[in-house]
Amino acid sequence: MCGIVGYIGEKNSIPILIEGLKRLEYRGYDSAGIGIISNDKKETRVIKSLGKVSKLEEKVEHLVIDNSSIGIAHTRWATHGEPSEANAHPHFNKDESLYLVHNGIIENYTEIKAKLTKDGFEFVSQTDTEVLVHLIDSFLAKGSSLLKSVQLALSEVRGTYGLCAISKTEPDKIIVARKGSPLVVGIGDGEHFVASDVNALIGHTSRCVYIEDGEIVEVTKDKFTVSSIDNEEILKEVHEISVELDEISKGDYPHYMLKEIYEQVNSVHDSFRGRILMDEGTAKLDGIDRIAERIANSKRLVLSACGTSWHAGLVAEYMLEQFTGIPVEVDYASEFRYRNPIVTKEDSMFFISQSGETADTLAAMKEAKRRDALMLGICNVVGSSIARESEAGVYVHAGPEIGVASTKAFTSQLVVFALISVLIGRKRHLSLIDGQEILRELESLPKKIEQILKLNNQIEAIAEKFVNAKNFLYLGRGYNFPVALEGALKMKEISYIHAEGYPAAEMKHGPIALIDENMPVIVIAPKDSVYEKVITNIEEVKARKGVIIAIASENDNEIDNLVDYSIKIPDTIRMLMPILTVIPLQLLAYHVAVKKGLNVDQPRNLAKSVTVE
Ligand code: AGP
C-alpha cells in the first residue's frame, strides 16, 4: 500500500523524507517521489522515480535547492494508472505551487475530472489523485485558504483518502486529512512529522496522535490543529510510540522475513508473557477481561479477517469450539461485508488483523457495528484503525512485522486465541486441570520453536530440490488443515509458484487427479488423533508417484519409509500444534523464494497492509 511522509520544522526536510520512505518500503510500492518548498519560499521542487526509493535518493542528490524545511513524500502502490513517473506522487497544479500526496481511491474521479477539464484544467497523469490537486487549486484560485480549499475539495469527493498538501502560497503549513487510509502526526520540538504509520517516526519522536476518519489537520512546525469535517476543533490524545529502531531494522539477517521467522522464539513468548494465571488455570487479558462474561454468554463467535489472519481465524475456530463450546463462524472479511450477515447483539465478533488497517476487515467491522454485535479487535499494530474501532480487544505483541509475508504475527495470533479459549472456557466448562495443561504447553513453546529453527539447513536443502517446481499441494487435517492453507499462501506469495492447501481427506474428491511425479505434496502429519488417516492419504499419494515432504513428529520413525523427505519437529497438544507445524513451512517457502532470486520482503504486486478494497 502507498506510504506517506511529511516534515515541517527547522531541519533539512530532504533526508528526513527519504529516510521516512525507506521505513515505509515494506508496505509495497512501485514508484516514489518527494515535493519540497525552499526556505526562502521562492522555489518548489518535485522529484519522482519509478522503482525503488534508492533511485529517488540518487536523483535527489543532484538537486540544487537551498535548504528546505517543509516537504511531503510518497511511495505509490498503483491503483489507477500504471506505475510511471507521471503517475507517481506528489501531484501538482499547473504552476507547481501546490503539491499533494494521497493514499486511497477517489471513486468519483471520472466525473470530477470531466468537470475540471471543461473548466480548463490540464491533467498530466492517469491517476484519480490528480483530480484532488486541481479541485483544491480551483478553490485556492477563488481566494480560499489552503485548509479551506482542502475542506471544500473533500466535500466533493467520494472514496477514501489519507493525504498531505503543501502550497508555496502558505509555505509554513502542511494540511493533512484522513478518511479510510491511516495517518499519524509525530510531535517534535519545533518540528512535526506526518506518516502512514509510526515506523517512519521512530528515531525522530516517540510521541504521536492518530488521525481519525473525517479529521483534517493544519500542521506547522510549532503546533498542529485537528478539526472535524464541520470545523469543530478536536483535542487529541497523545500516544507514546513503544517501537524501538532496532526492532525495525534487519540486523544481521539477509531479509526481514527470516528475522521475523527466527523472532518467533521471543514473539510467541511475548504474546503470552504476563497473561498466564497458572494457579487458576486461566488467562489474564486486560483488553477483554471486563467483558469476558459477555463473550462467554455469546450465542455465537464470528471471526472475520483476510489472508494469513483468516487462516489464524480457522485455527481459532477449532480452539474456541473445542474449549468454550460456543459455535464459531469464520468469514473472509471481504465476503462478510457484502453478504447480508445474520449478526445480532448476542454475538461476539473478532476482527483479526496484523496491521489493523486492512480495508476489507475495517469495512466488515463497520458493517457488523450496525448490527450491535460486540466488536473485538485482535491486532498487532498498537493504535491501528481496527484496534481503535473495537470496543475491546487484545494486542498480539509480536513486535513490528516488516516482511510482507506474515509469519510471527500468525503464530502470535494463535497464542492469543489459545489464551482467549482458556479465559472463556474456564468461565464455561473447561476444568482447572485442562486449563493448566494448555498454559503449561504454551510456556513450553519457545524452546520447541528453538529446536525447529535448528532444522533450517535441512529445510534449505529440501528447498533446493523444488526451486523449479510448478505446483505444490499442501495437506493437513483438523487443526493442521488451516496450516496447509497458510503454508500454501507463504509459498505462492513469495516464490510465485502455484500452491494449494487442502484438507487431507478432501484429496480423493478431486485434487488426487493432480498427483504425479511432478507434484510435490507437503503433508502435515504429526502423531495426533488423525495420524493414521493422514498416513492413508500419504499412501494414496505415494501410489500415484507424488513426491512427499512430511512435517512429522520427532519420535516418528515409520513415516520415513513412506515419504521422500521428513522434517521432524517436537510435539505439543493438538490445539497448539499449528504454532509449530507452520514454522518449517515458513522456512521452506522462504528458501525456495531466495533460491529463485526473488524479493522475499517485498514480493511483486503485494503490499504489507492492503488499505484499499
Ligand atoms: C500474508 O502473508 C499476507 N501478507 C496477507 O494475506 C495478509 O495476511 C492479509 O493482507 C491480511 O493482513 P492483516 O493481517 O494486516 O489484516
Side-chain angles (χ1 to χ4, degrees):
M1 250 16 17
C2 305
I4 288 177
V5 182
Y7 175 75
I8 185 164
E10 280 142 14
K11 298 183 187 111
N12 182 352
S13 61
I14 296 176
I16 293 172
L17 295 170
I18 294 292
E19 171 61 20
L21 290 185
K22 287 181 178 175
R23 296 278 186 77
L24 300 181
E25 285 191 285
Y26 76 98
R27 297 167 65 89
Y29 70 103
D30 46 58
S31 52
I34 72 170
I36 56 175
I37 301 173
S38 63
N39 287 345
D40 63 9
K41 304 175 183 34
K42 289 184 183 136
E43 291 183 85
T44 56
R45 276 284 192 296
V46 65
I47 309 97
K48 304 181 183 185
S49 81
L50 206 47
K52 292 301 173 196
V53 172
S54 53
K55 279 186 64 182
L56 176 68
E57 189 170 23
E58 283 164 24
K59 280 189 161 185
V60 163
E61 269 159 19
H62 309 306
L63 189 65
V64 179
I65 186 169
D66 283 349
N67 256 3
S68 150
S69 297
I70 174 174
I72 55 178
H74 188 267
T75 48
R76 179 175 182 248
W77 189 80
T79 54
H80 296 72
E82 88 274 348
S84 69
E85 282 200 14
N87 288 334
H89 302 204
H91 288 286
F92 43 82
N93 61 348
K94 189 168 179 155
D95 68 1
E96 286 203 35
S97 62
L98 170 67
Y99 289 146
L100 178 127
V101 293
H102 165 238
N103 180 9
I105 291 177
I106 306 298
E107 290 170 359
N108 60 333
Y109 85 98
T110 311
E111 59 204 73
I112 297 174
K113 185 168 183 173
K115 178 175 168 299
L116 290 167
T117 306
K118 203 156 124 288
D119 293 347
F121 287 91
E122 291 165 16
F123 286 78
V124 297
S125 80
Q126 305 153 304
T127 66
D128 54 334
T129 301
E130 198 183 352
V131 301
L132 268 179
V133 175
H134 297 310
L135 203 48
I136 293 167
D137 198 22
S138 69
F139 292 112
L140 282 172
K142 293 170 189 159
S144 295
S145 69
L146 182 57
L147 175 65
K148 186 69 186 159
S149 300
V150 172
Q151 281 172 323
L152 291 168
L154 292 179
S155 66
E156 296 198 12
V157 306
R158 274 198 327 276
T160 57
Y161 50 80
L163 66 84
C164 287
I166 57 175
S167 164
K168 200 163 75 170
T169 57
E170 296 178 57
D172 58 348
K173 64 189 67 162
I174 302 175
I175 304 299
V176 177
R178 180 215 158 135
K179 183 179 171 229
S181 292
L183 281 174
V184 60
V185 172
I187 304 164
D189 183 8
E191 59 185 6
H192 282 90
F193 307 81
V194 185
S196 297
D197 67 49
V198 294
N199 281 346
L201 306 181
I202 296 163
H204 296 299
T205 178
S206 61
R207 301 167 62 232
C208 70
V209 293
Y210 295 98
I211 306 307
E212 304 285 352
D213 281 357
E215 293 179 348
I216 190 163
V217 197
E218 184 174 86
V219 185
T220 67
K221 73 181 183 64
D222 296 314
K223 72 182 182 106
F224 62 93
T225 310
V226 181
S227 314
S228 66
I229 208 89
D230 41 31
N231 258 338
E232 297 281 312
E233 186 171 347
I234 299 169
L235 293 181
K236 301 289 284 183
E237 180 190 353
V238 175
H239 293 261
E240 279 302 308
I241 299 170
S242 55
V243 180
E244 300 297 329
L245 205 47
D246 65 339
E247 291 183 82
I248 60 166
S249 62
K250 271 190 288 198
D252 298 335
Y253 289 91
H255 301 100
Y256 280 108
M257 183 178 177
L258 190 62
K259 175 182 177 234
E260 288 151 10
I261 290 171
Y262 272 76
E263 280 178 336
Q264 291 177 113
V265 175
N266 296 321
S267 55
V268 160
H269 177 265
D270 291 344
S271 300
F272 64 69
R273 182 157 46 93
R275 294 173 156 174
I276 287 179
L277 300 177
M278 191 57 79
D279 294 348
E280 298 151 67
T282 189
K284 180 176 172 303
L285 295 167
D286 296 339
I288 60 170
D289 279 341
R290 62 187 168 76
I291 42 120
E293 280 304 328
R294 183 173 164 192
I295 300 171
N297 296 324
S298 305
K299 274 187 84 171
R300 214 172 30 140
L301 305 178
V302 182
L303 284 59
S304 189
C306 300
T308 288
S309 296
W310 181 72
H311 295 153
L314 292 176
V315 176
E317 178 178 21
Y318 286 87
M319 291 179 172
L320 291 163
E321 290 198 336
Q322 180 176 359
F323 294 103
T324 71
I326 304 173
V328 177
E329 178 187 314
V330 185
D331 279 293
Y332 274 122
S334 53
E335 289 300 309
F336 178 85
R337 59 183 297 209
Y338 290 115
R339 271 188 12 226
N340 187 10
I342 313 295
V343 169
T344 73
K345 62 180 182 305
E346 292 172 301
D347 297 327
S348 292
M349 286 209 67
F350 290 85
F351 295 89
I352 312 163
S353 177
Q354 187 287 129
S355 63
E357 301 298 348
T358 298
D360 284 324
T361 310
L362 206 47
M365 196 169 200
K366 290 178 178 164
E367 183 59 30
K369 215 160 203 169
R370 274 194 272 274
R371 292 168 162 78
D372 298 331
L374 177 60
M375 318 295 291
L376 301 162
I378 307 295
C379 297
N380 188 37
V381 176
V382 175
S384 56
S385 300
I386 289 169
R388 296 201 315 279
E389 286 279 329
S390 307
E391 289 171 64
V394 183
Y395 283 121
V396 302
H397 293 332
E401 187 177 73
I402 308 295
V404 165
S406 188
T407 49
K408 62 176 184 173
F410 176 70
T411 46
S412 286
Q413 288 165 341
L414 300 188
V415 169
V416 163
F417 273 107
L419 291 168
I420 292 171
S421 303
V422 170
L423 171 64
I424 303 305
R426 291 282 291 128
K427 290 183 176 301
R428 291 171 63 95
H429 318 296
L430 185 64
S431 71
L432 170 66
I433 304 293
D434 289 344
Q436 288 173 328
E437 186 201 9
I438 295 169
L439 298 174
R440 258 194 303 279
E441 278 301 321
L442 266 176
E443 290 179 328
S444 76
L445 290 181
K447 279 251 169 298
K448 292 179 177 179
I449 293 171
E450 251 172 13
Q451 273 181 261
I452 296 170
L453 293 172
K454 287 183 183 136
L455 304 172
N456 182 52
N457 293 341
Q458 179 205 358
I459 295 168
E460 181 178 1
I462 293 172
E464 185 67 48
K465 315 264 186 211
F466 296 97
V467 174
N468 299 315
K470 295 288 174 270
N471 293 286
F472 280 95
L473 194 55
Y474 287 71
L475 303 177
R477 275 182 186 256
Y479 276 98
N480 286 306
F481 157 49
V483 181
L485 298 176
E486 174 59 12
L489 176 60
K490 289 289 99 50
M491 184 61 80
K492 64 187 133 185
E493 70 175 328
I494 63 173
S495 73
Y496 313 154
I497 299 174
H498 176 253
E500 230 179 325
Y502 252 90
E506 268 302 292
M507 196 188 46
K508 55 187 174 297
H509 298 288
I512 199 163
L514 297 170
I515 307 293
D516 61 21
E517 62 281 5
N518 302 314
M519 175 60 83
V521 182
I522 321 278
V523 188
I524 305 165
K527 275 210 156 180
D528 59 14
S529 56
V530 290
Y531 174 76
E532 295 308 329
K533 302 281 184 207
V534 174
I535 291 297
T536 306
N537 298 136
I538 287 176
E539 282 161 351
E540 288 160 359
V541 171
K542 193 112 200 87
R544 291 154 180 86
K545 300 188 178 48
V547 178
I548 303 169
I549 302 168
I551 310 298
S553 299
E554 56 192 0
N555 59 0
D556 179 351
N557 301 314
E558 301 90 64
I559 200 163
D560 298 310
N561 308 322
L562 276 174
V563 302
D564 300 274
Y565 306 91
S566 62
I567 300 168
K568 302 286 185 65
I569 66 171
D571 277 327
T572 182
I573 54 175
R574 280 177 63 217
M575 80 179 288
L576 301 180
M577 213 50 209
I579 296 169
L580 300 182
T581 54
V582 75
I583 295 173
L585 305 185
Q586 296 168 343
L587 286 168
L588 182 66
Y590 169 79
H591 286 301
V592 170
V594 168
K595 290 175 186 305
K596 289 187 71 175
L598 298 173
N599 185 336
V600 172
D601 285 330
Q602 295 161 31
R604 68 185 181 195
N605 308 335
L606 284 177
K608 181 61 182 170
S609 170
V610 184
T611 56
V612 291
E613 294 174 23

